Amino acid sequence: MKLYIMRHGEAAPAVGFDLAADFSRPLTEAGRAQVVQVINQRKSTLAEVELVLASPYLRARQTAQLAIDQLDVGLQLLISDCLIPDSRPSEVLAFIDQLDASAILIASHMPLVGRLVESLSAGSGPGSMGTAWLAALESEATVPGFAELLWLEKPGGA
């Protein structure tokens, strides 16, 4: 299985500690451009994606939809509450195990994306991921420590 794990692009600033406002924060124009750039930098590899998963938060859904639009292959978008920022990697892995896909793109948030990459790759990931970073992992099983981190793409190709 291949997992492509992406942190959403740059989003509008958070206002205080209002959870409802955080849920509704959209991508900025710069964030939209980040996502499009990163997806296009790896477009040929991402052509194998069969399913796109996203957090219900607006910025993650927008990130996922931009990816789908760039890949232009009629991908299905599945929204899951297990992809919110403070979810546990074990919840995500249990959810993925129920899906029938061999290549999945996930659009979510820190700290989840960092924890997920670290957990799957036995600590070989970056720990923290910047906005619109995309990690590619390959694994025979969705089990912590069993994935190989293939590459990490950042806006600007840095």
Side-chain angles (χ1 to χ4, degrees):
M1 168 179 277
K2 291 216 178 142
L3 289 175
Y4 299 97
I5 301 172
M6 184 173 212
R7 181 178 178 196
H8 62 77
E10 178 187 273
V15 179
F17 295 102
D18 183 354
L19 214 48
D22 187 43
F23 183 86
S24 302
R25 287 194 302 134
L27 293 177
T28 63
E29 284 305 312
R32 296 175 74 77
Q34 287 176 327
V35 172
V36 167
Q37 179 186 38
V38 168
I39 294 298
N40 283 330
Q41 286 167 189
R42 293 293 182 158
K43 192 170 187 171
S44 61
T45 304
L46 294 172
E48 68 185 357
V49 170
E50 299 168 356
L51 180 63
V52 178
L53 309 178
S55 152
Y57 286 46
L58 179 59
R59 59 195 179 272
R61 288 184 287 127
Q62 288 176 326
T63 296
Q65 191 58 57
L66 282 168
I68 289 169
D69 293 346
Q70 293 307 302
L71 297 173
D72 194 34
V73 289
L75 292 166
Q76 177 187 359
L77 174 59
L78 186 58
I79 307 298
S80 176
D81 287 336
C82 78
L83 296 171
I84 63 172
D86 290 321
S87 292
R88 294 187 320 266
S90 59
E91 294 175 69
V92 177
L93 298 179
F95 177 69
I96 289 171
D97 275 342
Q98 300 172 20
L99 303 173
D100 184 27
S102 60
I104 298 172
L105 172 64
I106 297 171
S108 189
H109 317 263
M110 279 298 296
L112 177 61
V113 292
R115 290 177 183 158
L116 194 54
V117 172
E118 286 292 304
S119 173
L120 284 166
S121 67
S124 66
S128 182
M129 292 176 63
T131 55
W133 286 21
L134 176 64
L137 298 109
E138 186 169 28
S139 182
E140 292 299 315
T142 51
V143 177
F146 275 76
E148 176 186 359
L149 179 61
L150 302 174
W151 46 260
L152 182 65
E153 191 70 51
K154 303 173 187 178

